[in-house]
Amino acid sequence: MDNTISSFVASLCLLGGLLSPTVDAAPMASDDGGRVERLEVRVHRSFPHDRDAYTQGLVWYQDKLYESTGEYGDSRLRRVDPSTGIVEAQRNLSSFHFGEGLARVGARLVQLTWRAGVGFIYDIESFDELGRFSFEGEGWGLCYDGRRLVVSDGSDQLTFRDPSSFQTLRNLRVTLESRPVYRLNELECVEGWIYANVYQTDTIVRIDPETGVVIAVIDASGLLSDEEGVGVDVLNGIAYDEDNEVFLLTGKNWPKLFEVTFVPVAEK
């Protein structure tokens, strides 16, 4: 077994622990009878990333990176020049708020907090606070599909919410081979699909937003070298550059941000 396939099997084993005792690395059948794609990342280039940033949410807009970071007393909203890693603008959250998912809705940024039951709305240019909203449960990942905000809470459920009122519109259970996928975390809405990082794994899943069925499992392991991986936390942070059709991936306290595409495992 070569290193690529071995890495993918290891990633699936981690994901399998969140689903059932075993998940085979062979092509999988989805709930609707289709095949689940097995993908990996192809790195095109990398950028510097702040090791002190406990990344929770990531957004790419007009060649800038918007980032929500976590930890009590160290949570921030930041605009970053990706080519240099320099923070161009920053807003600190109070010590009572643990920053989580981030999404852009037009000229606004929406940021979740973890357990405070409150979210923030900011002007994307000035970072001025435009409003707050309340919600029940925990806030984890967040993305905007052009009509609705999609929220994760670390379970196997995604919640679709109205972007103006934040009222619940719909709940969706996410499954792979008819089994729930737990620990759904950072989200990115891309071209009609929802991409979710499975917390504490190097796995990203592509979800059908109508059925909740996972249609692709992406192995994002091996991005950091052994030396770069010293002292870092888990993979967390998915953004999409629509103009160049590439994804941006990073993790909590990672020294790098990676520009990647997702390709079939067998493709070299």
Side-chain angles (χ1 to χ4, degrees):
M1 183 179 295
D2 65 27
N3 290 337
T4 299
I5 298 299
S6 176
S7 174
F8 186 76
V9 170
S11 181
L12 280 179
C13 287
L14 284 171
L15 180 58
L18 305 177
L19 298 166
S20 66
T22 60
V23 175
D24 200 317
M28 299 169 284
S30 68
D31 304 49
D32 61 2
R35 309 302 289 179
V36 178
E37 288 187 273
R38 298 186 309 165
L39 305 174
E40 63 184 355
V41 295
R42 172 176 290 167
V43 177
H44 298 281
R45 54 180 174 164
S46 64
F47 306 99
H49 183 254
D50 182 4
R51 269 190 176 271
D52 291 330
Y54 194 76
T55 305
Q56 300 290 81
L58 212 59
V59 170
W60 182 275
Y61 179 60
Q62 293 185 342
D63 296 326
K64 300 295 180 181
L65 194 69
Y66 294 82
E67 186 171 28
S68 170
T69 70
E71 302 284 31
Y72 288 111
D74 202 29
S75 291
R76 299 179 172 90
L77 172 67
R78 316 189 315 169
R79 180 168 60 242
V80 180
D81 180 343
S83 63
T84 63
I86 293 175
V87 178
E88 296 182 339
Q90 180 169 285
R91 184 183 181 99
N92 297 336
L93 275 66
S94 79
S95 60
F96 302 104
H97 294 127
F98 191 116
E100 284 282 351
L102 184 70
R104 182 182 70 86
V105 181
R108 299 175 294 158
L109 290 171
V110 181
Q111 183 183 34
L112 298 179
T113 60
W114 183 22
R115 290 177 168 172
V118 62
F120 300 97
I121 303 169
Y122 307 100
D123 179 89
I124 198 169
E125 294 295 333
S126 66
F127 280 15
D128 289 341
E129 184 181 320
L130 301 178
R132 300 186 179 192
F133 56 89
S134 300
F135 61 95
E136 294 184 357
E138 295 186 354
W140 285 45
L142 182 69
C143 70
Y144 179 58
D145 69 0
R147 296 182 296 126
R148 306 159 297 184
L149 287 165
V150 187
V151 183
S152 66
D153 62 3
S155 70
D156 62 332
Q157 302 281 329
L158 297 177
T159 302
F160 293 79
R161 295 181 179 271
D162 183 276
S164 298
S165 66
F166 212 66
Q167 293 300 305
T168 298
L169 302 174
R170 178 187 176 213
N171 292 308
L172 181 69
R173 179 172 177 261
V174 176
T175 60
L176 172 60
E177 292 189 297
S178 301
R179 291 168 289 176
V181 181
Y182 296 102
R183 299 186 187 176
L184 298 170
N185 192 13
E186 158 74 335
L187 304 177
E188 185 74 4
C189 296
V190 180
E191 297 179 349
W193 308 114
I194 301 170
Y195 290 79
N197 164 232
V198 181
Y199 183 52
Q200 294 182 321
T201 79
D202 291 322
T203 298
I204 297 168
V205 292
R206 183 196 293 156
I207 303 161
D208 184 326
E210 299 305 316
T211 64
V213 172
V214 171
I215 60 172
V217 176
I218 301 152
D219 174 19
S221 63
L223 288 171
L224 296 175
S225 68
D226 290 342
E227 181 179 352
E228 291 166 340
V230 174
V232 305
D233 210 312
V234 296
L235 174 78
N236 199 68
I238 311 170
Y240 185 67
D241 177 354
E242 183 177 0
D243 292 336
N244 295 300
E245 300 182 333
V246 292
F247 287 84
L248 291 307
L249 303 181
T250 192
K252 303 175 188 293
N253 306 123
W254 281 26
K256 287 185 177 180
L257 170 80
F258 296 89
E259 180 185 277
V260 307
T261 49
F262 301 144
V263 299
V265 169
E267 184 178 328
K268 300 299 182 184

